[in-house]
Amino acid sequence: MHIHKYERLWLTIGCALLISFLIILAIQTLVFKSAPPSHLEMINPQEVYTTAPFDKPGVVKVGEKEYEATMIAFAFSFTPDEIVIPRGSKINFTITSPDVQHGFQVPNTTINAMIVPGQITKFSYVFDKPGEYIIICNEYCGAGHQLMMSRIIVE
Ligand code: CUA
């Protein structure tokens, strides 16, 4: 079969790109252990309120300007409904939902996460600027969705 010169060139470039992408993917997966941020930690949504750490939701100081926030996003609020921290603090969030899918967005920050029942969402954020931050649910979750919010006060 005759393949035109340019067609062969493009096929070669295409295959080389494909192989290099697969190699990059393999290195990320096997060497750097990268994985999508889901299904890593699971929880039975029916047992959220009796399973640690969600049996004691709240904020605990764990270091110099570092806090662990264990939160539950439920229809139609967040527990705890207010977090007060000093400026420059880092919060390590651990969040789950006992009912339906919720959003966890804090405007004017890079925080925007999905809270999926059965899964535990974890991320960290450093609050450098003082002020009042609002946590809003940005996934439609039912009749009270637009009322679902909480506050982070950075002093
Ligand atoms: Cu929770 Cu919308």
Side-chain angles (χ1 to χ4, degrees):
M1 186 179 73
H2 174 74
I3 300 177
H4 191 275
K5 183 169 74 173
Y6 290 130
E7 198 168 2
R8 188 180 302 138
L9 180 68
W10 282 118
L11 276 172
T12 309
I13 293 171
C15 287
L17 280 174
L18 191 62
I19 289 165
S20 53
F21 291 154
L22 286 172
I23 290 170
I24 290 167
L25 198 61
I27 291 170
Q28 282 182 329
T29 311
L30 303 172
V31 180
F32 296 110
K33 311 280 185 213
S34 301
S38 63
H39 295 280
L40 290 176
E41 279 188 66
M42 309 294 285
I43 184 170
N44 182 344
Q46 262 116 48
E47 293 169 6
V48 164
Y49 293 102
T50 53
T51 306
F54 300 103
D55 54 342
K56 292 190 190 76
V59 183
V60 178
K61 188 171 185 182
V62 292
E64 182 68 27
K65 294 206 164 182
E66 186 168 357
Y67 295 82
E68 292 288 337
T70 304
M71 300 188 71
I72 300 171
F74 61 98
F76 298 100
S77 190
F78 297 93
T79 305
D81 61 4
E82 189 176 284
I83 295 172
V84 182
I85 50 159
R87 172 187 184 173
S89 296
K90 177 185 180 186
I91 302 183
N92 303 314
F93 291 94
T94 303
I95 317 166
T96 194
S97 162
D99 43 48
V100 296
Q101 183 169 315
H102 298 283
F104 191 103
Q105 185 177 4
V106 182
N108 304 319
T109 71
T110 53
I111 299 173
N112 187 355
M114 282 207 305
I115 314 301
V116 182
Q119 293 181 24
I120 297 172
T121 302
K122 286 187 168 181
F123 56 88
S124 299
Y125 188 83
V126 178
F127 291 86
D128 283 324
K129 291 198 200 98
E132 187 177 316
Y133 295 79
I134 294 172
I135 303 169
I136 54 171
C137 175
N138 61 6
E139 296 276 346
Y140 182 73
C141 53
H145 160 71
Q146 73 280 0
L147 305 171
M148 190 169 165
M149 61 176 71
S150 180
R151 295 195 302 169
I152 297 170
I153 295 161
V154 181
E155 296 179 320

